[in-house]
Amino acid sequence: MGKRLGLASLAVFCTVLLHSNVSYALNFIQTGYVQKVTDGDTIWFNTRKDFDVETRLKIRMVHMDSPETHLPTKGGVVGQGHYGVQAHKMLARLLDGYEKVQLENQGLDRYQRTLGVVFADGEDINLKMVESGWAIPYVICSGKMCNREFFDQENIAGYVKACNEARAAGRGIWDPSDPLEEMPFEFRLRHQERDPDKFVGDFETKEFHRPDDYKKVDVCQRIFFTKKYEGERAGYTAAY
């Protein structure tokens, strides 16, 4: 199940990278090492085995979101307790034993973290986190890459399916005896005293709602758009 990175795809990406002036903001593949797992959706990645500080990248894994472990706020650092701890352990377990991994580099976010998908032996580790139940889909469709092709290219259907299956099986944060009551992005909004600022689409109905109405869309089906016109360009229609 899910997006796989084959040798042929890797070769194509590397050829394009070597023979064109590819912008850092465009997707490309890098091979390297996991220097450190910092939480359930963030790692330090390095293209050098000696972990030279000049070649390390802080990776925010895309299309998924795990419980917070150390969120900075005005009142100090906060987290989501054992949920964040278990998500961290799951990501470390999924990456354990792989000497090298591949990173689909998708450029930088506003915090200067590199956005990307991490692959180990061809398996999409971002997707594996959602399958484990220790992450939820957190799909942000933004900028030039946000169009009708985005969803197939990024295997968004796979993330939605993985979330539904993990919830049905009661894995991770979906454990009925100990469910996570507040999703990670809601936790961030509350503690950082921010209001929702992204339009939220429903992957099933292809409708989108205003930022404040995100709860109208099931957590496994949510697609976030930074601008209204991005949702429209992606083939979604306003539900208001």
Side-chain angles (χ1 to χ4, degrees):
M1 172 184 174
K3 183 177 181 181
R4 295 182 62 89
L5 181 67
L7 292 177
S9 298
L10 178 59
V12 170
F13 271 107
C14 290
T15 300
V16 171
L17 185 60
L18 287 170
H19 294 89
S20 64
N21 295 318
V22 177
S23 166
Y24 186 69
L26 297 179
N27 295 8
F28 62 94
I29 301 297
Q30 294 175 281
T31 297
Y33 307 86
V34 177
Q35 185 168 347
K36 182 180 180 181
V37 175
T38 60
D39 60 25
D41 53 34
T42 311
I43 67 169
W44 283 102
F45 170 87
N46 206 310
T47 55
R48 289 176 56 122
K49 196 171 184 178
D50 63 2
F51 296 153
D52 188 293
V53 68
E54 296 298 324
T55 55
R56 73 179 183 181
L57 299 173
K58 187 174 185 179
I59 310 302
R60 173 53 166 95
M61 298 164 68
V62 297
H63 309 330
M64 49 83 94
D65 200 13
S66 70
E68 293 290 338
T69 56
H70 39 257
L71 177 71
T73 69
K74 294 178 182 178
V77 177
V78 296
Q80 292 182 274
H82 68 279
Y83 301 103
V85 172
Q86 291 302 319
H88 184 174
K89 288 182 177 179
M90 176 55 71
L91 180 55
R93 190 178 309 140
L94 288 171
L95 291 169
D96 185 43
Y98 293 102
E99 182 183 8
K100 290 185 177 181
V101 298
Q102 286 74 45
L103 169 69
E104 182 182 289
N105 188 317
Q106 298 188 2
L108 300 175
D109 69 5
R110 61 180 177 174
Y111 303 109
Q112 297 304 299
R113 300 174 300 183
T114 298
L115 302 173
V117 182
V118 177
F119 295 89
D121 195 24
E123 294 288 347
D124 180 344
I125 300 301
N126 301 35
L127 178 61
K128 288 290 184 183
M129 281 296 295
V130 180
E131 290 178 349
S132 76
W134 287 110
I136 60 168
Y138 189 56
V139 180
I140 300 177
C141 192
S142 177
K144 292 181 179 180
M145 69 182 293
C146 186
N147 52 44
R148 293 173 187 265
E149 288 73 43
F150 168 81
F151 303 98
D152 286 336
Q153 291 171 351
E154 298 299 312
N155 185 34
I156 303 308
Y159 285 82
V160 171
K161 181 180 179 182
C163 180
N164 283 318
E165 291 180 348
R167 178 167 56 184
R171 294 193 292 265
I173 65 170
W174 307 111
D175 182 348
S177 68
D178 186 27
L180 181 66
E181 299 293 344
E182 187 175 41
M183 294 299 109
F185 90 96
E186 295 173 311
F187 181 83
R188 292 192 295 272
L189 289 176
R190 180 167 63 87
H191 282 277
Q192 293 180 334
E193 300 178 355
R194 295 185 289 119
D195 294 321
D197 60 358
K198 296 179 181 66
F199 292 87
V200 57
D202 187 315
F203 185 74
E204 182 176 353
T205 67
K206 301 299 184 287
E207 294 180 327
F208 66 86
H209 302 262
R210 293 186 177 93
D212 287 342
D213 289 331
Y214 70 87
K215 288 187 178 180
K216 290 184 177 180
V217 182
D218 178 79
V219 64
C220 291
Q221 304 284 342
R222 292 172 184 163
I223 307 294
F224 292 96
F225 302 103
T226 53
K227 304 291 184 181
K228 179 181 177 181
Y229 70 81
E230 290 172 340
E232 294 169 340
R233 188 173 63 200
Y236 284 61
T237 58
Y240 54 89

